[in-house]
Amino acid sequence: MLRLKEEICKVLAEQLPLSREQVEPLLETPPEPEMGEIAFPCFALAREFKKNPKDIAAELAKDISGRSEKYWARVENRGPYLNFFVNYSKLGREVMEELVSGSYLTKWCSRGSNQVVVIDYSAPNIAKPFGIGHLRSTVIGNSLYRIYRAMGYKPVGINHLGDWGTQFGKLIAAYSRWGDKKALEQDPVNYLYGLYVDFHREADGDEHLEQEGREWFRKLEEGNEDAVKLWDAFCDFSLEEFKKIYHMLDIEFDHYLGESFYNEQLDRVVEYAWQKGIAKESEGAIVVDLEKYGLPPCILKKKDGATLYITRDLAAAIYRYQEFEFSQMLYVVGAEQTLHFQQLFKVLELMGFAWAENCVHVPFGLIRFKDGKMSTREGNIILLKEVIDKAISLAFQTIQGKNPDLKDKEKVAEAVGIGAIKFGDLYHDRIKDVEFEWDRVLDFSGETAPYVQYAHARLCSILRRARDLNGSRVCSIDISEAAMLLEKEEEKTLVKHLALFADTVIKAQKNQKPSILARYLVDVSREFNRFYHSCSVLGEEGNLKEARLRLLEAARPVLREGLQMLGIKAPEEM
Ligand code: ARG
């Protein structure tokens, strides 16, 4: 309802010593529909005017109720609030027209003006299976990518693969002790993961092994041929496996730039820190002291000369700014790395990079299955691939039960199964931990992808059945007539929800929370179902039937494009 909001801001700014920009954040959505669509609380003005907020609301109502504005039908004062009631036929007509013609999103959501936004997401670690833990970053990051793109930004998706670090020394050490080429080739990622687990078990009682691991990593950093060759092979095997998963999830990246890509730039980063006078030596290591900022020191180089995760992140950030000149950079990474990003951004700032303030950590909680946190170390990881396969096969069973004659059942099952996994993740505020329950994510009547997908498919099926034999529909009324005829409460409520699409997309982007959009789509689906239960469409005659069909034509792109922004497919039949 951006247009109603704009109008309210304009009028109130004329009446009050506030600018439009100051009015906007004060506007609220009232809890009950009887209180109108938008409310303006007058508390903030009470001190300024030295008056009771109730009186301010009453006066304001008197002053502006005489005005005939386009998007509100009336305004009332209730206690300290000013409540605005939308002009349905005007708003409904415009929103429906824009949605049906496809101009709605461009008109109301294009705010990016091609600004570059780098999004760092997914970033699994080489030689470890793609665990369910990396799923969140992948799914949330990809949805943000799609939301930003829909708003006219230029997102750049980067996969910062974990392909460097001391663990590769350990892996090479383990492989040179127990390595089995055949086993590696047969099932590379699981085999490597097994080696990693073995290493940690054995290293417990064997100090030499730890030492060997460090030694191999040093060799790798020095470019030792044997070490590099093994590392290369590990990377190729893993990447091949990861790409299969991305393909299944329908997710792509603009760049795969792993940590190792920055190796050549690390000395320069350390040098730069010296130049800027922020580096110092401490027990043989090179560090940036961050005590003043309440943060632990940032270690740039260990005493054995090995570089760290954060050194590579510093180099990556600098490289990305040089390469892309981003206006914002998002790191979609678990909340357990909050401290890491605080250190990273602080050091960038101390290095004098003004753009450091445009770097944002977008944190999220854990996904839990009933048996606790997923960890690669302990070996209790649930493989994402197994999760995906299971979701698709469960979706297939459900479809088989509900609609056995459906064509392309496998394709639909894939869309529903994968959609369910993504939605199960995106629906929750990202900062919270998610408890993953199969029954819940695949429930066709819960707050799930299948619920939204099913509403969309149902809506498509009504529109399909309304077509004539040539596949086209002769429409006897235009949208402004249609909007006038939609008078029932369920119809108006659906229109009102559709009108909130742009507000929702913008809010999701501002907060970097796809959950805001996911929840909205559940609401729209629920309103569609309410409408459908109380208003017959195809059973109706004449203009009313046409008007309702037009309403569905307007609702369809909201569900379809909304799902698309979450990275979820919207099959036309289910
Ligand atoms: N590979 C890391 C991990 O699994 C995540 C990397 C996130 N991105 C970054 N630029 N640090 O924990």
Side-chain angles (χ1 to χ4, degrees), residues 432-480:
K432 298 201 182 119
D433 291 354
V434 176
E435 179 112 326
F436 197 89
E437 274 176 62
W438 285 109
D439 294 348
R440 216 168 54 203
V441 301
L442 281 162
D443 184 354
F444 273 54
S445 57
E447 280 113 18
T448 60
Y451 178 67
V452 179
Q453 287 170 319
Y454 193 55
H456 172 264
R458 220 168 173 188
L459 194 155
C460 289
S461 127
I462 302 168
L463 288 170
R464 226 173 11 247
R465 278 183 285 149
R467 285 188 202 133
D468 63 21
L469 290 175
N470 303 322
S472 59
R473 201 161 67 74
V474 189
C475 202
S476 53
I477 58 169
D478 64 21
I479 289 185
S480 54

Side-chain angles (χ1 to χ4, degrees), residues 12 16 18 22-23 25-28 31 39-58 60 78-83:
L12 289 180
L16 297 167
L18 293 175
Q22 287 169 315
V23 174
L26 297 174
L27 299 178
E28 291 176 8
F40 177 72
C42 298
F43 306 104
L45 298 168
R47 196 180 300 156
E48 174 112 19
F49 289 158
K50 297 202 174 56
K51 266 191 202 157
N52 183 323
K54 270 191 196 164
D55 297 337
I56 302 175
L60 272 175
R78 290 201 188 186
Y81 286 93
L82 209 53
N83 291 2

Side-chain angles (χ1 to χ4, degrees), residues 511-571:
N511 295 282
Q512 281 108 29
K513 285 189 176 176
S515 55
I516 293 173
L517 178 57
R519 282 168 190 265
Y520 165 78
L521 293 178
V522 167
D523 288 346
V524 173
S525 305
R526 190 180 298 121
E527 292 311 326
F528 160 71
N529 287 330
R530 276 186 61 220
F531 157 80
Y532 189 59
H533 281 127
S534 70
C535 307
S536 80
V537 181
L538 296 173
E540 199 55 62
E541 291 297 323
N543 283 355
L544 189 56
K545 170 176 166 185
E546 291 299 328
R548 289 181 175 162
L549 284 169
R550 304 239 93 173
L551 178 55
L552 296 187
E553 280 175 354
R556 176 162 63 171
V558 171
L559 291 179
R560 190 184 50 218
E561 280 161 45
L563 282 171
Q564 226 163 58
M565 286 184 218
L566 299 179
I568 296 173
K569 295 207 168 93

